[in-house]
Every structure is written in structure tokens, then in C-alpha cells.
Amino acid sequence: MEFSQRTVTCGDLRKADNGKKVVLNGWVHRERNHGAIFFINLRDRYGITQVVVDDDASSELQQTAAQLKMEYCIAVTGTVRLRPEGMINPEMATGEVEVKADSIEILSTCATLPFMIDEDNKTKEDLRLRYRFLDLRCGGIQKRIALRHYFVKAIRDFLSARGFYEIETPTLIRSTPEGARDFLVPSRLYPGKFYALPQSPQLMKQLLMCSGFDKYFQIARCYRDEDARGDRQLEFTQLDLEMSFVKRDDILLLMEQLFGQVFKDVVHYDLPAHFRRIAYKDALNQYGCDKPDLRFDVLMQDFDELAAASSFTVFHEALASGKGAVRALVAPKTEGVEFTRKYIDELEAAAKIYGAKGMAWMKVADGKLSGGVTKYFAGMDEKVISTLGAHDGDLICIIANEKWKKCCVSLGAVRSKLGKDLNLIRPGFEFCWIVDFPLFCYNEEEGHWEAEHHMFSAPQSQFLPTLESDPGSVLGDLYDLVLNGYEVASGSIRIHDVELQKKIFRICNYNDEQAQEKFGFLLDAFKFGPPPHGGIAPGIDRLVMIITGQDSIHEVIAFPKNTVGVDPMDGSPESVDQKQLDELHLAINYPKEDRK
Ligand code: ASP
């Protein structure tokens, strides 16, 4: 199709361009008509330029201008001129100039818009996703998608400069248990057989190490068939990375350097050279979770001794078995916030979600304890206050439970709520490593041990002798990277010894035969001189979400599914023709409630 092609973009023009003949292509962002003068804000992804149709314009041009509506796609030919004094818009990069139109071509018209194209689209999410192609015209999301591009590019540049190869791995693979449920793809050629979409390229990257590609990465799409919830996506993107002949600290250092460089280049933010390392157990004890938000300094404290010395039987009962704990935190006096009964009940409700039976509390006033469980601490005011480092006006929150972890995570929920409610969270980015994770966790429902991360992670060597006799106390060579309270990466040093790998499979309830059937190719590769190796996989969606200050990864993915796993735009998932099912030799066995 013939049309006047742009010579500049809508973000280009400045004062120095005064007098230039230009052609602009773009969308009508806003149009105003002042009598016979038309003002058109023309937009493309680079910016907005004001176009003016003067009152001395030809009647043909005037008629075209009068037809324009929002989001018409047009070409404007005209001359750049300075805006008159008082009309300069310092908010716009092009705000000192405008283009006097000589002609306008309508390249395409626009139907009634379902919502306005604004900087931030505040419309309901399902409507935004139904018309995502329009939603993506909004300035805010355009900037986030652009930042995502630069973020990924900076990662690629950094790793390529250090000798990494980017290698693609297949998306149709064998179904292997990796933690979540696989998405399955039926094979037409082999009736009754299925491929799986990878939950991650885990085994492929380990095989690449066996092949001698000692520095690998991939911007990899991963698929997990989990119940859709919140901003979880069924498919997501991670930087998948693996290296041979490395130990844990090599990988941690590489990541610190990588994010140091990428944050500097992309968001102009200086990170410290090294990130704090916190052992899993300390993270739970102090922050009540394994992804602590370090941007505020309220720390949970050991209250066992003080609890034991109190006369409160609830505390004594929690400690009786030796497996329980009592922990406390001090909510600092904060202007504008009253620690009322109602608010304390809200804090308690947050703790109960994580299994706490209740939350004990005391206030500090005039150097003394008051309210709540104070009566059980007779004569201990000074000891409690000084041990916890509390001050007048503070609120002491205490949780006791006969299970240590439950005690920690429920007080952790109180900590998180306080962080937000008391406005304690510092701006900025605070990374930390969580290390020394348990290698196994016990699956109560199925009655066996399973891998905390995945079954290919190595135990720390000092636990090798007690691997089978005491799996619960084995620590793994595992690490998570945490940013502002989100887990943004996890990884591990891998097992590369066939016998050790088989032992781990056995502990996780796969006998040798089942292990051979599911993971035979990995075990085979381990027979042929596998190198020691390890890796990590930072989540791109989540990192970009945090960097751009968003609460949902939907805001940084061009075409996400909604919160229930549906794409309101293309309607997927959708049924398919009988012919397609027949070709795949499939019959649908509908759940009862869906049967028509
Ligand atoms: N494959 C792992 C995951 O996706 C990451 C890793 O261990 O490198 O969680």
C-alpha cells in the first residue's frame, strides 16, 4: 500500500529541528478542535508530537482533520515550528515544538475503544487482557516491555563476554518428575505416547555439561501445570545457567557480578559487590521465612528463656517437647499508627493463617510492660524490655508453637504485615542469598522424603555418611537468591556420581528400576566421565516485575494468562475439533460436573 513513510518518529523533534519538513506516522492519541484549528497529539512508541492543522489549511485538510478520532492510524506531512511562548510543554520531550500539517492521510480507522489508551490503564484486568493488543499501546506497559528487553540483552551481553554459549534445548521432552505437574503433548505418530513441556531445562543443561559445554545459559521458557493462583503463570521465563568445574561460591560470585552490571546498566542502580548470605535456619529464626525482605530492620528474637521463666503455661507447653519455640518481635512506635485491640487482632489473624493458635502481646509504657500477657511476667519488666531492646510506645508480639517452623513462619507473617502497615520498608533493592537449605522435606501425605529443590542437587559432603540414616538433618549444596522479599532464583551444585544419584532417588521413593526408567539417560551420561557442575535459574518475569515496581508479573509479560489460567484474548484453553482428537487417538473423559 502506498503511504507517506515517516522520516522521524513522534519522539524525535526538538527546537533545533525548527523549519524541517517531516513525515510522521502514528496513532491519534488525543485530538482537540478549537474552531477551525485542530490539535492532534500523535503517538508512537517513541513519544508524542503535537500536530496542528491551522485555520488557513486547505478545506480538504480541514475535512480530513475533522474526521480523525482517537487511535486512528495516520501519516502527517508538515513543517516543524516552535510553539508560541506559553504553549511550551516541559512535560513532553517534544514539548518545545509542533508540526504544522500540510497533509494528513488516514492509514486506518479505529472502532469504539473498550478503554482509553493512557499511561496506566486502570481498567479491570480481564478487559485489558481481552484487548491486550490495545492495552500494550499504553505508555506504562510499553516502558516495562522495553525495560525487559534491555534487561535480557544486558544478561546476554554479560554472559557472552564471559565465554558462555546460549544453547537452545527442546520443548518437547520426556515427562520426568521435577516437582510440579508436567504439561503433556500427545503424539500423533505414536498413539498413547506423550511428550512433556519442560518444567525447566534442568536435565538437558546437566547433559550439556557432560558434553563439555562448560558454560551454558539460555533464556528459557518453562511450563508447569499448577493450579492457577494469583500472579502465577503456567509458562514463565528464566535465565537458565550451568557451569562445570565450579563450587557454590563461583556461582554466587558470578550472579553478584551479573546483577551488579545489569542493574547498573538498565536501572542505573548500584548494588553492593556481594550480597548477604543467610543460612536457611537463621532466615526462619530472624525473618520467619526463607525469602526475607531485608528492607526493614524488625528482627524476630529468641524468647524461649523468657517464656520459660514466665508463668504462662501456654508458653511452657509449646517448649515441653523440646521441638517447639517461642519467638518475639518488637513493633516500633510509629506516628499515625495506634496499636489498638482491633489492630492487634489483625496481626494475630495474619499469624493464624500460618498455623499459629494465637498471638500474645504486651505494650511498653513508662519503662514497664502493660496489657496482654503482662501478668505472667511479674517482676520481669526490665529483663523483657532490655533483652528485646524495646522502647516506650512499642508493641511486643510473641508466638509460641510446639513446632519451631510453624512458630517462625507465623511470626514472620506478623513481621511482613508490620513492614507494610508501619511504612517501614526502605526504597531500593536488597538482595540476599539463602544457603544451607535442608536437602529433603518430608511429604506427610505420601509418607516419604522428597527433594526440597530437586533430586539432582548435591548434599553437603559432611552429610554423606548419614544420608540414609537421617535424611531430615542433611543440608544441601543449595542456594536461593532473594530480592525485596521475593525468591528470584534457585540453584545448586549437582550430583555427578551415579551411585550417589541413585541413593538420592531411593530416599525420594524411586527404586533403582523406576529411576532407570525415568532418568536412565541421565544415569547413562553419568557413566561417561561427567564433570562436577552446578547452576542456577533466575526468574526473568519476577525480576523485571520488582525492578519496575509492579505487584504482578502480568505487568511485565506481553501476553499473560489471567489469574485462572485463561487467555481472554485468544480464548485458550479451548476445545478442538473431533478430527484433531481422532488424529491423536484421544477421547475426552469429561469430569462429571462438565458433562452436558
Ligand atoms: N531447574 C531449577 C529450577 O527451575 C533451577 C536450577 O537448579 O538451576 O528451579
Side-chain angles (χ1 to χ4, degrees):
M1 187 191 127
E2 280 306 308
F3 72 98
S4 310
Q5 244 178 319
R6 64 184 170 191
T7 56
V8 290
T9 74
C10 297
D12 282 339
L13 297 174
R14 300 287 183 274
K15 221 171 166 178
D17 297 304
N18 187 20
K20 225 188 225 171
K21 279 250 167 220
V22 293
V23 182
L24 293 164
N25 297 157
W27 286 268
V28 176
H29 188 61
R30 300 283 183 267
E31 34 88 31
R32 280 166 294 136
N33 174 358
H34 290 235
I37 308 183
F38 295 84
F39 291 95
I40 300 145
N41 276 0
L42 193 66
R43 189 197 70 239
D44 62 14
R45 77 171 229 228
Y46 307 93
I48 293 181
T49 298
Q50 177 163 286
V51 173
V52 186
V53 174
D54 279 341
D55 49 5
D56 61 357
S58 67
S59 60
E60 191 192 347
L61 179 52
Q62 292 258 346
Q63 268 169 25
T64 311
Q67 286 170 39
L68 296 181
K69 296 211 174 83
M70 264 194 272
E71 298 307 307
Y72 273 32
C73 186
I74 63 173
V76 175
T77 304
T79 312
V80 183
R81 71 183 181 198
L82 300 181
R83 290 201 201 181
E85 276 299 323
M87 304 281 271
I88 290 171
N89 183 349
E91 307 281 302
M92 277 168 89
T94 62
E96 287 183 307
V97 296
E98 59 192 16
V99 171
K100 174 184 157 56
D102 296 329
S103 72
I104 294 179
E105 289 166 61
I106 296 177
L107 305 178
S108 62
T109 60
C110 176
T112 307
L113 288 165
F115 44 71
M116 293 280 278
I117 308 301
D118 277 323
E119 183 65 12
D120 275 311
N121 189 353
K122 299 256 162 55
T123 315
K124 278 213 298 287
E125 185 175 74
D126 259 22
L127 191 64
R128 290 179 60 196
L129 294 183
R130 162 80 182 79
Y131 294 96
R132 188 60 155 182
F133 45 86
L134 282 182
D135 184 48
L136 287 170
R137 286 187 190 174
C138 294
I141 196 158
Q142 287 223 337
K143 289 189 197 101
R144 294 193 287 276
I145 297 289
L147 184 133
R148 183 180 174 123
H149 161 77
Y150 291 113
F151 185 78
V152 170
K153 179 178 182 301
I155 290 174
R156 285 198 159 106
D157 290 348
F158 176 93
L159 292 172
S160 304
R162 276 161 188 75
F164 281 79
Y165 288 158
E166 181 166 8
I167 305 176
E168 289 165 75
T169 54
T171 43
L172 293 176
I173 60 168
R174 182 195 179 101
S175 174
T176 47
E178 223 197 274
R181 196 178 290 113
D182 278 336
F183 270 106
L184 297 176
V185 180
S187 161
R188 177 179 58 83
L189 295 176
Y190 302 94
K193 308 234 161 164
F194 293 82
Y195 301 99
L197 303 181
Q199 292 182 31
S200 83
Q202 184 61 35
L203 295 182
M204 294 296 165
K205 68 174 168 178
Q206 290 193 242
L207 294 176
L208 286 170
M209 294 304 111
C210 295
S211 307
F213 290 105
D214 60 8
K215 290 178 179 180
Y216 143 94
F217 82 98
Q218 179 180 194
I219 303 297
R221 193 59 72 79
C222 304
Y223 305 86
R224 295 183 190 172
D225 186 4
E226 297 178 308
D227 290 344
R229 191 160 21 99
D231 77 339
R232 222 190 243 171
Q233 285 286 298
L234 304 173
E235 54 181 315
F236 57 92
T237 308
Q238 66 186 26
L239 159 62
D240 194 48
L241 183 140
E242 198 78 5
M243 291 158 91
S244 296
F245 311 117
V246 287
K247 299 202 166 146
R248 180 191 78 179
D249 288 1
D250 299 304
I251 293 174
L252 305 197
L253 181 65
L254 179 83
M255 286 295 112
E256 287 163 354
Q257 292 171 339
L258 177 130
F259 287 116
Q261 186 69 47
V262 171
F263 271 60
K264 196 187 193 76
D265 290 353
V266 180
V267 274
H268 314 296
Y269 189 89
D270 285 324
L271 292 173
H274 301 291
F275 307 155
R276 250 180 77 188
R277 292 182 192 179
I278 308 174
Y280 168 80
K281 203 164 173 215
D282 295 337
L284 275 156
N285 271 328
Q286 295 181 341
Y287 301 95
C289 69
D290 58 6
K291 36 183 194 297
D293 191 341
L294 303 187
R295 291 173 303 164
F296 64 103
D297 302 318
V298 172
L299 289 189
M300 294 163 34
Q301 304 185 52
D302 191 339
F303 204 70
D304 286 358
E305 250 179 59
L306 291 167
S310 77
S311 56
F312 196 23
T313 47
V314 171
F315 288 169
H316 299 167
E317 281 162 17
L319 296 172
S321 75
K323 291 193 171 157
V326 186
R327 305 201 66 75
L329 60 73
V330 178
K333 173 182 173 186
T334 304
E335 233 183 78
V337 180
E338 289 283 330
F339 295 132
T340 58
R341 259 329 281 261
K342 184 165 169 278
Y343 183 62
I344 295 172
D345 287 348
E346 279 178 33
L347 293 175
E348 182 173 48
K352 281 185 169 170
I353 296 173
Y354 292 86
K357 291 182 198 129
M359 184 187 86
W361 59 272
M362 293 183 274
K363 289 185 187 176
V364 184
D366 300 326
K368 298 240 163 284
L369 298 171
S370 73
V373 295
T374 299
K375 65 176 178 203
Y376 304 106
F377 289 85
M380 294 173 66
D381 296 48
E382 209 187 305
K383 183 122 206 271
V384 170
I385 294 170
S386 65
T387 308
L388 294 179
H391 299 98
D392 282 355
D394 291 352
L395 171 74
I396 299 171
C397 304
I398 310 162
I399 298 231
N401 200 284
E402 53 278 11
K403 291 206 166 125
W404 164 77
K405 194 168 171 186
K406 215 174 244 182
C407 169
C408 294
V409 295
S410 30
L411 191 59
V414 175
R415 179 183 182 269
S416 298
K417 184 167 165 54
L418 286 167
K420 288 185 202 113
D421 295 350
L422 307 189
N423 231 335
L424 301 173
I425 301 174
R426 288 184 288 270
F429 302 112
E430 296 199 30
F431 276 98
C432 65
W433 290 106
I434 307 297
V435 294
D436 297 338
F437 277 93
L439 189 65
F440 302 106
C441 54
Y442 197 70
N443 183 331
E444 301 276 354
E445 257 170 53
E446 294 179 17
H448 61 80
W449 292 98
E450 59 188 21
E452 175 77 31
H453 181 40
H454 51 54
M455 290 186 284
F456 318 107
S457 299
Q460 294 184 10
S461 55
Q462 69 271 29
F463 295 97
L464 286 174
T466 53
L467 208 53
E468 283 151 309
S469 58
D470 187 12
S473 57
V474 176
L475 297 184
D477 220 344
L478 312 175
Y479 31 84
D480 273 6
L481 183 60
V482 172
L483 170 59
N484 291 1
Y486 290 95
E487 178 199 313
V488 291
S490 57
S492 61
I493 293 300
R494 324 296 184 189
I495 297 161
H496 69 281
D497 173 273
V498 185
E499 289 313 315
L500 178 57
Q501 185 65 74
K502 284 191 192 161
K503 218 183 252 185
I504 299 286
F505 286 147
R506 268 182 242 128
I507 294 171
C508 295
N509 210 27
Y510 289 91
N511 64 33
D512 288 0
E513 212 172 281
Q514 292 164 324
Q516 187 60 36
E517 195 211 311
K518 297 267 181 218
F519 306 102
F521 58 107
L522 181 76
L523 294 172
D524 283 350
F526 281 180
K527 290 180 195 149
F528 295 92
H533 59 287
I536 190 163
I540 300 289
D541 308 297
R542 190 161 282 171
L543 278 160
V544 177
M545 175 192 95
I546 299 168
I547 296 177
T548 55
Q550 300 298 308
D551 297 324
S552 162
I553 58 172
H554 298 185
E555 296 299 335
V556 297
I557 298 173
F559 297 105
K561 305 277 180 285
N562 68 10
T563 47
V564 289
V566 168
D567 183 340
M569 185 178 66
D570 73 2
S572 60
E574 195 34 294
S575 42
V576 295
D577 295 341
Q578 188 58 42
K579 183 162 174 278
Q580 287 173 288
L581 290 176
D582 291 345
E583 277 173 352
L584 293 168
H585 317 279
L586 289 180
I588 308 292
N589 185 8
Y590 286 99
K592 254 198 196 119
E593 63 272 23
D594 283 4
R595 270 183 204 147
K596 306 242 161 65

